[in-house]
Amino acid sequence: MIGVFHKNIQSIPALVVVDHTKENEALPTLTYFHGFTSAKEHNLPFAYLMAEKGYRVVLPDSLYHGQRESEISAIKKQISFWDIVMQNVKELNVIKEALDEDGLIQDERFGIAGTSMGGITTAAALTQFPWIKTAGVLMGSPKITTYAKTLVDSFKKMGDLPVTDEMIDHLYEQLEHYDLSKQVEKLEERPLFFWHGENDAVVPFDHSYTFYEDAKPHYHNQENIRFVKEANRDHKVSRYAILETIKWFEKHL
């Protein structure tokens, strides 16, 4: 029977989905980050299917989401988007260290994936942690500096931003540090999966696809990098995408 366990990993509320008879065993482990305005529970179907195949899946709530949702305005949450992404990356390290301390990761088999903001988090984390064995980016952008500039420009068209130009420039400087498109060599040929709908109006399809085309020549074994695209699919993960992601992690994690 698959168990869903509520855990607090330090200050991070999370669900851990695993065969209940193996809850305390070392297993290949995957952390999956949800999207903006979503929450950890929304990825339970994916986690359940992975747990059935013998994996442990950790579903954390991001800052200002799920159990961590606080009374902040919609505009404040929007402006905090990149702070949330960077916090996710830092908290991934916290999660990994906690699991290591408890001896729950089998043979260092630790992966990461995510949807939208979670996919952006995944790409960013690959610039920081060489211990990530394989990753899945579902409708996320590896070109986070470019994407941030696009979002700022759209906000400016809607009205005055409650931040200064100096604050925006500082944000861009911070994001350069996490921008996978500017540090492709940090992939080190680790297995990397992309899924993106061609009609995505939220996170540009071309960000992930052009990155994939740029990154592919860096792989001697090009089976270790894969891009799955779906025509007529907008900013919503399909069942097909979930099943292809599971196949990827079965093969590479």
Side-chain angles (χ1 to χ4, degrees), residues 7 25 39 45 75 89 91 118 163 206 213 219 225 232 247:
K7 304 281 186 181
E25 292 183 20
I75 187 67
V89 173
E91 292 181 352
V163 292
D206 70 283
E213 290 186 314
Y219 280 75
I225 184 167
N232 304 314
K247 287 179 188 176

Side-chain angles (χ1 to χ4, degrees), residues 52-122:
E52 275 195 320
K53 295 180 181 297
Y55 295 83
R56 173 182 292 103
V57 182
V58 180
L59 305 174
D61 268 332
S62 297
L63 186 66
Y64 304 139
H65 290 73
Q67 287 178 247
R68 304 168 80 177
E69 192 163 7
S70 56
E71 295 295 326
I72 62 170
S73 66
I75 187 67
K76 168 65 175 173
K77 185 180 278 191
Q78 288 277 359
I79 290 169
S80 299
F81 181 89
W82 294 109
D83 291 327
I84 297 167
V85 168
M86 289 185 282
Q87 185 69 18
N88 279 347
V89 173
K90 293 171 185 172
E91 292 181 352
L92 178 67
N93 193 52
V94 172
I95 291 167
K96 166 72 159 50
E97 287 184 347
L99 293 170
D100 270 337
E101 285 176 12
D102 292 337
L104 294 176
I105 302 173
Q106 184 184 72
D107 300 327
E108 298 184 353
R109 292 162 65 187
F110 187 90
I112 175 179
T115 304
S116 191
M117 181 178 75
I120 291 168
T121 294
T122 298

Side-chain angles (χ1 to χ4, degrees), residues 192-194 212 222-228 240 244 248:
L192 177 57
F193 173 85
F194 290 95
Y212 161 74
Q222 297 200 344
E223 290 185 1
N224 280 351
I225 184 167
R226 184 180 180 216
F227 194 104
V228 175
Y240 171 68
E244 289 300 304
W248 182 263

Side-chain angles (χ1 to χ4, degrees), residues 28-30 32 46-57 106 109-113 133-136 191-193 223-224 226 239-253:
T29 298
L30 172 69
Y32 197 101
F46 170 84
Y48 179 88
L49 292 170
M50 286 294 294
E52 275 195 320
K53 295 180 181 297
Y55 295 83
R56 173 182 292 103
V57 182
Q106 184 184 72
R109 292 162 65 187
F110 187 90
I112 175 179
K133 297 303 179 189
T134 182
L192 177 57
F193 173 85
E223 290 185 1
N224 280 351
R226 184 180 180 216
R239 174 170 171 78
Y240 171 68
I242 291 171
L243 295 178
E244 289 300 304
T245 304
I246 289 168
K247 287 179 188 176
W248 182 263
F249 282 102
E250 275 192 282
K251 181 177 180 180
H252 294 285
L253 186 66

